[in-house]
Amino acid sequence: MAERVKLHYFNGRGKMESIRWLLTAAEVEFDEFHLTSRDQYLKMLEDGDLMFQQVPMVEIDGMKLIQTKAILNYIAEKYNLHGKDIKERVKINMYAEGLMDLMEMIMVLPFTQDVKTKLDNIEKKAKDRYLPVFEEQLKDHVYLVGGRMSVADVLLLECTLMLEEKFAGILKNFGNVKSFQGRMQSQPAISRFLQPGSKRKPQPDDVYVKTVREVFDLKIVL
Ligand code: GSN
């Protein structure tokens, strides 16, 4: 039997959360190993587990993978969530990259100053730049690309839920995106992931931020 997938990251969302989402959508069970101390991180470095000294790191199929996008692409390829040909794949990647750009802006907020100004900017960009693209595409498509679920759809669900946490009602004028969200959420594996007690992580809190800073010996504020 194949080894279970192992995720090495903090007990928080960060860059690992999209990987958790994608594994969930692919119905792959995984175990988590949480980084809580600098010593654990130094041990991973010493063991040569982190090619660029960074997490996320995912153990899968006998490999220790790093780089979030590479990991997402591997999982998407393996579980048929990456389109049927290179033309579908490049479209999926375009949507996915846009969504990751937007989520990254939210992800870094707990480590930054002047959060209110940044939030205003994110809300504006979400409404003016990103959501209209998905609203238009979902007008006459059930999924973003190729008529079946891909990594882009999974990231869109994750992203829209993140946006709603920050800006309640942001999908008010994006009815197609809201319907898409409902369709995705009704899939059994995703529905379970959204229940309390699942491996989905909450919004970052002070403990998470403090742990990340300690593990990386991070002194600067972005
Ligand atoms: O997407 C990726 O996996 C990489 N391009 C970046 C990974 C990364 O920045 N990891 C951070 C922790 S997660 N938060 O952003 C990290 O390991 N930082 C430590 C360091 O010394 O860079």
Side-chain angles (χ1 to χ4, degrees):
M1 208 178 82
E3 289 259 317
R4 275 165 70 102
V5 175
K6 297 190 180 79
L7 310 188
H8 298 265
Y9 200 69
F10 301 97
N11 183 17
R13 286 185 186 174
K15 288 181 178 285
M16 190 64 98
E17 193 68 356
S18 296
I19 296 169
R20 296 186 185 105
W21 268 103
L22 191 60
L23 288 168
T24 297
E27 303 195 33
V28 177
E29 297 205 11
F30 55 86
D31 297 317
E32 297 204 51
F33 297 84
H34 293 146
L35 262 178
T36 55
S37 71
R38 182 150 179 86
D39 282 349
Q40 280 175 309
Y41 171 66
L42 294 176
K43 171 86 170 61
M44 288 176 88
L45 294 183
E46 203 180 290
D47 292 347
D49 287 346
L50 306 178
M51 188 189 281
F52 300 123
Q53 303 169 17
Q54 293 174 320
V55 286
M57 191 272 274
V58 173
E59 291 187 66
I60 182 170
D61 296 337
M63 300 179 287
K64 291 181 176 176
L65 302 182
I66 50 102
Q67 288 292 354
T68 312
K69 290 175 196 172
I71 297 166
L72 288 171
N73 287 345
Y74 182 81
I75 297 165
E77 294 280 332
K78 180 168 176 174
Y79 295 101
N80 291 320
L81 294 163
H82 216 181
K84 69 170 176 351
D85 57 30
I86 57 170
K87 289 195 171 173
E88 283 192 1
R89 199 161 307 140
V90 74
K91 284 184 205 150
I92 289 166
N93 289 345
M94 284 162 55
Y95 288 125
E97 289 282 340
L99 288 161
M100 285 188 278
D101 286 349
L102 179 53
M103 285 193 279
E104 174 96 21
M105 289 187 237
I106 298 176
M107 205 184 293
V108 298
L109 285 175
F111 300 94
T112 65
Q113 289 175 328
D114 200 8
V115 170
K116 172 78 180 80
T117 310
K118 290 183 177 128
L119 271 173
D120 289 347
N121 177 49
I122 294 168
E123 184 174 15
K124 187 169 167 21
K125 281 225 173 82
K127 282 182 178 164
D128 296 351
R129 179 180 296 187
Y130 292 99
L131 288 171
V133 171
F134 299 104
E135 183 65 11
E136 177 63 24
Q137 180 65 5
L138 292 169
K139 196 167 61 184
D140 44 16
H141 296 93
V142 175
Y143 295 111
L144 288 169
V145 180
R148 61 182 179 150
M149 187 169 72
S150 73
V151 55
D153 299 294
V154 180
L155 294 176
L156 179 58
L157 175 61
E158 181 191 0
C159 184
T160 55
L161 292 172
M162 258 171 118
L163 286 171
E164 286 186 315
E165 283 172 346
K166 295 286 176 208
F167 318 108
I170 190 169
L171 297 184
K172 190 162 55 80
N173 296 323
F174 299 96
N176 300 328
V177 175
K178 192 69 195 165
S179 305
F180 163 86
Q181 208 191 40
R183 288 196 296 279
M184 290 289 285
Q185 282 176 310
S186 69
Q187 298 191 15
I190 290 177
S191 165
R192 284 193 298 277
F193 193 57
L194 290 166
Q195 299 303 313
S198 82
K199 287 177 173 157
R200 183 176 183 227
K201 302 298 177 241
Q203 293 197 65
D205 60 10
D206 291 347
V207 175
Y208 170 74
V209 173
K210 186 165 170 281
T211 307
V212 173
R213 287 193 174 284
E214 279 172 9
V215 166
F216 294 137
D217 197 19
L218 206 67
K219 305 275 192 298
I220 51 160
V221 177
L222 302 172

